[in-house]
Amino acid sequence: MKSKYENMKIIYNRSKIGWYWAPLFVSFWFLLFYLVVVSSFHRMPRLKTQLDELQQPGQFIGERAENTLLRLSKIGPKVVGSAANEQVAVQFLLSEITDIIDGARTDLYSIEKDVQIASGNYLLWSMVNVYQSVQNVVVKLSPRNASSEAALLINTHFDSVPGSSGAGDAGMMCVIMLEVLRVITKYETPLTYSVVFLFNGAEENPLQGSHAFITQHPWAQNVKAVMNLDSAGSGGREILFQSGPDNPWLMKYYGKNIVHPFASTIGEELFQNGFVPSETDYRVFRDYGEIPGLDMAQVLNGYVYHTKYDRFNLIPRRTYQLTGDNILALVKALANAEELENPSKYAEGHMIFFDVLGWFFVYYPESTGEIINICVCVVVCLTIVGYIWIMSSSTGMFRRRIWVKFGILTALQVAGVGLGIGLVLSIALFLDAVNLPMSWFSQNWMLFGLYFCPMIFGMGIVPAIYFSRTKEHGLPLGYGIQLLMHSHCLILTVVTVIMISYSIRSAFVIMLCIAFYTLSVLLNMITRAHKTNFLWLIPHCLCQVLPFMFYTYCCYAFYVVFVPMQGRECNTNPEILIGFFTALMVILFAPFLVPLLCLFRKSKTIISMFGVCTILFIIFAATPIAFPYAEKTAPQRFFAVHTARTFHNADRASTVNHTDSGYFVLPVDRRPHTLDDILFENTNYSKAAANDCDSEIMCGYPIYSSRWLNAVDNSYFVPGPEPNKDYLPTLSIIDKSSSNARSIKFTLEIAGPDHTSIFIQPVNGTRLVDWTFTKEPLEQNVKPPYYVYWSYALDPTPLQFSMEFEHDSDDWTGSTFRIAIMGHRTHHDMYIDEEFREFLATFPPWAHVSSWIGSYNSWEL
């Protein structure tokens, strides 16, 4: 008669599957991702034509929006201060709006249009943002029988960055808003409240048009909520990445009315915690208007964002219909929402929300989410205890021994996950250290070998080695693997509890993972399939299908948004961000699949193939195979400014110390030296070191925006001929006075081009205590030099301002402050000379260069 030990040995020997089935098992999940997840992400509705309007009036017509964008994008770059932006684009919008009014049901609606011209200043980041005569085109749509003055604001912008036509950012949203306005006013659309359509003409400057409207326009005082529409790419599905703040009723209306959902609490928390290097007008409406809202942006093909490749022909045609259907439905819903009358009554609370592959949308209050999360955690713990109790009865092993095994397997799982994360972070640090980051930038397939494979290898090889060495004195293999997965479920449960305690709404992500796994365990326990060799795999794998699709969908969406963003981020190691996020996703979608590889014969060899793949991909990263950049589709970004520099002495006459000229080059991403061989070997160009950093503000470089501040360390100056010096900035001292022995007041006047950066650095122990601009930098103790960005659109009147300095003593010997003024002619191509064009021609095809004429002048006064 066979002993219990021999029976267990027989069970173990039968618990292996032929190794040749492993590739099929892995391939199934790959196919599920590519055939279902990727196709669901890119699914968009058919573009509706004007013939469809005849058959079904009142719907959004994507074809008309497309035709409008074609005409708008032909204007070309629309930079603040340019004729294209201040005249042509404004007249284009007014003409379109007039046509819409002519075809509107004026018996039902009152339609007013206005061109706002405004000036002001405010603190944005650490920069004082000064704008002068910028323009907004505004339309107010009100029902004739309105009993309330409350209004919903819909905002986008029509200006663009230098060199870009702005078809995607945000011409697309402009034509969407025009078509929404046309549909609502042409057909009998019931409205309870007014809708204000704001086409702001200074968003890229940055965020000046929205500030002008919300702080100065008379219609702004009645705005109760906002829908901000923007773009970080070129079409595709628009993601809702921020809502509120608070005001959960907004998400309720989004969930009930959105036609093609794309939103997640994860994205909102990432954006609000600074993981996204960008800001939108939503921030201005929130901070200066104190109004809640929805912040939405298209994110597909972010490689062309803010480049000359942001063109009409790159936008997928079905984008117009998808976004148009969504915005029209939301405007109709919010303009009739009773909460719009007084949103403050409904402001308390937060929502948890996410879409499932774009198929449907899930949303519920944060309080409900906490209850769900806690209940799931309790069920997980009870299920694992019950499973071990039943296992003890069916195997005849002491429960204490099973708990010891469970503890060992938990430690092994922690070690496996730790090994995987350690490998991922080591690879990320290594690639950055050897100047090989971002090999996945245009070659997204590199992510699989660099980060997915080491994570899977680490999570799989540790238990595979353990199970191979415990054949004769452990549990049956099926039980062991199930206990291993139970341990991972318990680890994730602990993480969920920690996230709940810190009120992190994204805890729902881990809750879903452990909930579906626990469901499979309960099904196996009810059917007793867990006692069999392989039948338990059926419920287990079936319950993993939906979580696998959901997490890989989230992962794919993350890559679509964040991979292109790394092309404009130089401060942080992008490998850490991409690698660590990939590791987290693998921990969620693969922990209950990777252990199943141990069921196959030659499991260590199978799992080791992922490690071999990792090594091969690291080698690829050092070869041209994985070169990060590609012409037009994934270019490397540079700024180049043809600059004349003048440095003045610290004397009463402000005599010139020295002058020079050349090309200021600013690489934007983590690989700043890709052009060194191309630009400086076998050419007449040379790289000048930044020798002026100790003596000159910003190393003597012509800074254009606050985003350039982070990249100054990687920038360089290439000596060259002088550019055209017409319209250089000028500085005049209008007045210099003193109210007491320890203070002095300067009144200055600056004239120059329509985009000018001004840096002010107190010296010799002086302090800036007051000035004409907003006092926030002084009150918040912003670290000098103080940065003032000044731009104007219509009115070129010189900027005049006063500054008051204090000193601890009445000895004012020496200078009081240093000032550097950088002028930028960002839209005057006629001033670009042949030498500068020849320099730009040396850049390779895969480099995108935003270029213009600039200047740098410094004084010590």
PDB file of all heavy atoms in Angstrom, residues 208 306 370 421 643 735 812 832 845:
ATOM      1  N   GLN A 208      -2.095  83.502 -20.859  1.00  0.00           N
ATOM      2  CA  GLN A 208      -2.431  84.913 -20.647  1.00  0.00           C
ATOM      3  C   GLN A 208      -3.876  85.224 -21.026  1.00  0.00           C
ATOM      4  O   GLN A 208      -4.550  86.001 -20.339  1.00  0.00           O
ATOM      5  CB  GLN A 208      -1.468  85.795 -21.458  1.00  0.00           C
ATOM      6  CG  GLN A 208      -0.025  85.699 -20.993  1.00  0.00           C
ATOM      7  CD  GLN A 208       0.930  86.496 -21.855  1.00  0.00           C
ATOM      8  OE1 GLN A 208       0.593  86.907 -22.964  1.00  0.00           O
ATOM      9  NE2 GLN A 208       2.146  86.711 -21.374  1.00  0.00           N
ATOM     10  N   HIS A 306       3.788  70.958 -30.526  1.00  0.00           N
ATOM     11  CA  HIS A 306       4.653  72.139 -30.522  1.00  0.00           C
ATOM     12  C   HIS A 306       5.804  72.031 -31.523  1.00  0.00           C
ATOM     13  O   HIS A 306       6.910  72.511 -31.261  1.00  0.00           O
ATOM     14  CB  HIS A 306       5.208  72.402 -29.116  1.00  0.00           C
ATOM     15  CG  HIS A 306       4.201  73.039 -28.204  1.00  0.00           C
ATOM     16  ND1 HIS A 306       4.518  73.500 -26.948  1.00  0.00           N
ATOM     17  CD2 HIS A 306       2.871  73.285 -28.360  1.00  0.00           C
ATOM     18  CE1 HIS A 306       3.437  74.003 -26.371  1.00  0.00           C
ATOM     19  NE2 HIS A 306       2.419  73.880 -27.223  1.00  0.00           N
ATOM     20  N   GLU A 370     -13.925  53.778  -0.654  1.00  0.00           N
ATOM     21  CA  GLU A 370     -13.257  53.306   0.555  1.00  0.00           C
ATOM     22  C   GLU A 370     -13.951  52.074   1.120  1.00  0.00           C
ATOM     23  O   GLU A 370     -13.288  51.120   1.548  1.00  0.00           O
ATOM     24  CB  GLU A 370     -13.230  54.427   1.596  1.00  0.00           C
ATOM     25  CG  GLU A 370     -12.316  55.587   1.221  1.00  0.00           C
ATOM     26  CD  GLU A 370     -12.367  56.706   2.234  1.00  0.00           C
ATOM     27  OE1 GLU A 370     -13.233  56.656   3.131  1.00  0.00           O
ATOM     28  OE2 GLU A 370     -11.551  57.648   2.130  1.00  0.00           O
ATOM     29  N   ILE A 421      12.228  44.551  -9.808  1.00  0.00           N
ATOM     30  CA  ILE A 421      12.328  46.010  -9.702  1.00  0.00           C
ATOM     31  C   ILE A 421      13.788  46.440  -9.678  1.00  0.00           C
ATOM     32  O   ILE A 421      14.172  47.441 -10.302  1.00  0.00           O
ATOM     33  CB  ILE A 421      11.583  46.511  -8.451  1.00  0.00           C
ATOM     34  CG1 ILE A 421      10.064  46.252  -8.594  1.00  0.00           C
ATOM     35  CG2 ILE A 421      11.849  47.985  -8.215  1.00  0.00           C
ATOM     36  CD1 ILE A 421       9.269  46.624  -7.366  1.00  0.00           C
ATOM     37  N   THR A 643      21.752  85.202 -31.908  1.00  0.00           N
ATOM     38  CA  THR A 643      21.784  86.175 -30.825  1.00  0.00           C
ATOM     39  C   THR A 643      22.936  87.163 -30.950  1.00  0.00           C
ATOM     40  O   THR A 643      24.062  86.783 -31.272  1.00  0.00           O
ATOM     41  CB  THR A 643      21.918  85.438 -29.473  1.00  0.00           C
ATOM     42  OG1 THR A 643      20.882  84.473 -29.364  1.00  0.00           O
ATOM     43  CG2 THR A 643      21.820  86.411 -28.319  1.00  0.00           C
ATOM     44  N   ASP A 735      13.457 107.539 -13.830  1.00  0.00           N
ATOM     45  CA  ASP A 735      13.578 108.274 -12.567  1.00  0.00           C
ATOM     46  C   ASP A 735      14.358 107.426 -11.569  1.00  0.00           C
ATOM     47  O   ASP A 735      14.306 106.183 -11.610  1.00  0.00           O
ATOM     48  CB  ASP A 735      12.194 108.602 -12.004  1.00  0.00           C
ATOM     49  CG  ASP A 735      12.269 109.464 -10.748  1.00  0.00           C
ATOM     50  OD1 ASP A 735      13.007 110.471 -10.768  1.00  0.00           O
ATOM     51  OD2 ASP A 735      11.619 109.107  -9.753  1.00  0.00           O
ATOM     52  N   TRP A 812      25.325 103.141  -0.099  1.00  0.00           N
ATOM     53  CA  TRP A 812      24.881 102.623  -1.391  1.00  0.00           C
ATOM     54  C   TRP A 812      26.031 102.591  -2.400  1.00  0.00           C
ATOM     55  O   TRP A 812      25.817 102.658  -3.619  1.00  0.00           O
ATOM     56  CB  TRP A 812      23.731 103.474  -1.934  1.00  0.00           C
ATOM     57  CG  TRP A 812      22.469 103.269  -1.162  1.00  0.00           C
ATOM     58  CD1 TRP A 812      22.058 103.951  -0.075  1.00  0.00           C
ATOM     59  CD2 TRP A 812      21.476 102.271  -1.428  1.00  0.00           C
ATOM     60  NE1 TRP A 812      20.851 103.470   0.388  1.00  0.00           N
ATOM     61  CE2 TRP A 812      20.463 102.425  -0.446  1.00  0.00           C
ATOM     62  CE3 TRP A 812      21.316 101.268  -2.377  1.00  0.00           C
ATOM     63  CZ2 TRP A 812      19.333 101.640  -0.387  1.00  0.00           C
ATOM     64  CZ3 TRP A 812      20.191 100.467  -2.335  1.00  0.00           C
ATOM     65  CH2 TRP A 812      19.211 100.651  -1.344  1.00  0.00           C
ATOM     66  N   ILE A 832      15.805  86.510 -40.669  1.00  0.00           N
ATOM     67  CA  ILE A 832      16.753  85.398 -40.610  1.00  0.00           C
ATOM     68  C   ILE A 832      17.691  85.488 -41.812  1.00  0.00           C
ATOM     69  O   ILE A 832      17.252  85.438 -42.962  1.00  0.00           O
ATOM     70  CB  ILE A 832      16.003  84.049 -40.603  1.00  0.00           C
ATOM     71  CG1 ILE A 832      15.161  83.933 -39.331  1.00  0.00           C
ATOM     72  CG2 ILE A 832      16.987  82.894 -40.697  1.00  0.00           C
ATOM     73  CD1 ILE A 832      14.380  82.643 -39.226  1.00  0.00           C
ATOM     74  N   PRO A 845      18.127  65.507 -40.371  1.00  0.00           N
ATOM     75  CA  PRO A 845      16.673  65.477 -40.630  1.00  0.00           C
ATOM     76  C   PRO A 845      15.846  65.072 -39.423  1.00  0.00           C
ATOM     77  O   PRO A 845      14.681  65.462 -39.319  1.00  0.00           O
ATOM     78  CB  PRO A 845      16.545  64.449 -41.766  1.00  0.00           C
ATOM     79  CG  PRO A 845      17.887  64.408 -42.406  1.00  0.00           C
ATOM     80  CD  PRO A 845      18.866  64.662 -41.317  1.00  0.00           C
TER      81      PRO A 845
END
